[in-house]
Amino acid sequence: MTTLQERYTGAVMNTFGPPALALARGRGAHVWDTDGKEYVDLLAGIAVNALGHAHPALVDAVTTQLSTLGHVSNFFATEPQVSLAERLTGLLGWDDARVFLSNSGAEANEAAFKLTRRTGRTRVVAAEGSFHGRTMGALALTSKAAYREPFEPLPGEVTFVPFDDVSALEAAVDETVAAVVLEPIQGEAGVVVPAPDYLAAAQRIAHDHGALLWLDEVQTGIGRTGAWFAHQLLEGVAPDVVTLAKGLGGGMPIGATVARGGAATLLQPGNHGTTFGGNPVACAAALAVLDTIESESLLAASVQRGDQLAGLLARHTGVVEVTGVGLMRGAELDGPYAAQAVAAARDAGFILNATGPTRLRLVPPLVITSDDLDALDAALPHVLDTARAAAQESTP
Ligand SMILES: *Cc1c(COP(=O)(O)O)cnc(C)c1O
């Protein structure tokens, strides 16, 4: 009998390496594999499934919209598209903003990148350790050499500065810079939180030189950190452009580029487009996510469960540092056994993620329960011991 994994290898391009599991279904913060084994999902499709799996509000919204009007192209307006744009600008508290809807984080960033070119300036300053996506434009803003080098030349004039280094930004930003692009908390780098005054300093430096502050909230946005947007946790940070995706659709593909003030009108008719962006089904899904975050008080849950998660992680032998805010957490291990910890956790029925040899990332659904976290707490000693032993065995 051919397994799903074997069929995958025969039919799907090998861009991700072999899949760790074949998953069949999910409910809340739990998923089941094709053998019926149950897992607590602390990855949530990489910070995507804000409402967990198969949330009835999301299922209803998508089903109702698809059976009413599924797709129309951007020659036409639809109620979900306009309502979502209004909701996003409202949640940002911006009355002079406009939204461009797309289908992913990379696309949200492509639109923002193109928008910066319409300032008449061409340079962009980005941070070391950044991740902004895999399309050619988004990749040009992403610092990791292994991702970039096979595809060079990339769109140019991007300068990388060390993250969380105000003087490096001061040195790099001048009157030729169109925008400074930063993640409020670097996600793919392993949940790296800058000093509390860094983003405000970045904003001052950008604005002093007539450049835009563009915050990539693709991972940090939509309640992940306990606020609608991570920058709202900080005093006096008011970006010009915010990009969103991941949690926004709760699992339906959607991206959004929100710009305000002068930046809101930089893209003019003919400058940019998308066939699927603003699709009514994806927009209805996003509206259901936003409604449910409100009705189920998931911002508060993100803070409470996030504190619980951080507290339990810090208690375990081998965890030397816990980073992050709300339900976006990194755990630094005392040795290079994060990959082994992910494997041992899987055996024990928990889906974790490693962003590097010594770093775990935990970005569970916002609906994860206290009991699920207690179960993780109980499993971690064995998981970490097994992982440490496996790592030692594999090093000669
Ligand atoms: C995931 C991510 C992206 C890319 O999103 P895709 O939907 O995979 O294209 C961009 N920026 C940040 C901060 C991300 O975490």
Side-chain angles (χ1 to χ4, degrees):
M1 203 180 68
T2 340
T3 66
L4 193 61
Q5 265 120 320
E6 284 162 355
R7 284 167 52 207
Y8 178 103
T9 309
V12 179
M13 268 194 207
N14 185 24
T15 56
F16 302 103
L21 288 172
L23 294 176
R25 66 189 177 91
R27 180 148 296 262
H30 293 225
V31 290
W32 286 262
D33 68 16
T34 46
D35 297 325
K37 180 174 154 118
E38 181 173 352
Y39 303 83
V40 179
D41 181 7
L42 293 132
L43 179 59
I46 317 185
V48 165
N49 301 303
L51 307 185
H53 300 271
H55 194 291
L58 189 57
V59 174
D60 280 0
V62 166
T63 310
T64 303
Q65 187 58 47
L66 187 57
S67 55
T68 306
L69 186 66
H71 176 81
V72 295
S73 90
N74 281 301
F75 289 117
F76 311 103
T78 66
E79 172 67 35
Q81 164 205 39
V82 176
S83 292
L84 179 61
E86 289 170 349
R87 280 288 286 282
L88 290 175
T89 58
L91 292 173
L92 282 158
W94 296 353
D95 52 16
D96 57 349
R98 297 288 184 277
V99 181
F100 182 86
L101 293 167
S102 55
N103 313 287
S104 67
E107 280 177 83
N109 285 329
E110 288 291 333
F113 197 1
K114 285 181 72 175
L115 176 156
T116 70
R117 290 277 158 110
R118 303 304 300 158
T119 60
R121 302 180 182 185
T122 47
R123 283 186 60 218
V124 175
V125 174
E128 289 170 10
S130 65
F131 182 84
H132 299 293
R134 302 292 206 119
T135 56
M136 294 297 263
L139 192 55
L141 307 164
T142 294
S143 76
K144 193 168 171 172
Y147 292 171
R148 303 167 53 84
E149 278 165 6
F151 303 100
E152 287 173 344
L154 294 165
E157 297 191 72
V158 181
T159 304
F160 290 98
V161 294
F163 188 56
D164 197 16
D165 181 337
V166 174
S167 32
L169 269 181
E170 256 156 7
V173 179
D174 62 20
E175 263 61 30
T176 67
V177 171
V180 174
V181 57
L182 295 168
E183 294 158 83
I185 297 170
Q186 288 189 333
E188 301 302 302
V191 190
V192 179
V193 186
D197 56 357
Y198 177 62
L199 292 182
Q203 176 172 315
R204 174 182 52 75
I205 294 163
H207 290 175
D208 280 354
H209 295 91
L212 302 171
L213 179 66
W214 158 15
L215 294 183
D216 178 345
E217 294 237 26
V218 166
Q219 190 161 159
T220 53
I222 317 297
R224 175 69 32 207
T225 66
W228 284 109
F229 308 99
H231 75 265
Q232 292 177 333
L233 295 167
L234 302 164
E235 209 55 51
V237 176
D240 305 286
V241 179
V242 164
T243 45
L244 302 168
K246 291 206 164 93
L248 179 58
M252 290 295 286
I254 186 166
T257 307
V258 192
R260 66 153 156 188
T265 52
L266 283 170
L267 288 174
Q268 286 293 309
N271 281 162
H272 197 44
T274 162
T275 300
F276 290 116
N279 171 283
V281 178
C283 292
L287 286 165
V289 168
L290 300 177
D291 286 344
T292 306
I293 287 176
E294 271 170 15
S295 64
E296 295 187 7
S297 304
L298 295 180
L299 297 184
S302 180
V303 173
Q304 284 157 11
R305 296 286 82 78
D307 287 347
Q308 183 186 353
L309 177 59
L312 77 86
L313 288 171
R315 282 198 297 275
H316 287 279
T317 310
V319 176
V320 292
E321 189 195 3
V322 178
T323 63
V325 185
L327 282 173
M328 180 173 183
R329 296 290 177 170
E332 181 70 15
L333 303 177
D334 62 356
Y337 57 91
Q340 290 84 351
V342 169
R346 201 158 56 229
D347 289 344
F350 297 86
I351 295 186
L352 301 185
N353 172 245
T355 58
T358 61
R359 192 78 147 195
L360 296 173
R361 168 176 53 175
L362 299 100
V363 283
L366 306 186
V367 297
I368 194 158
T369 63
S370 184
D371 287 350
D372 286 332
L373 295 181
D374 285 342
L376 175 70
D377 195 18
L380 270 180
H382 177 69
V383 164
L384 293 174
D385 285 349
T386 309
R388 225 177 276 112
Q392 258 151 25
E393 220 162 85
S394 65
T395 43

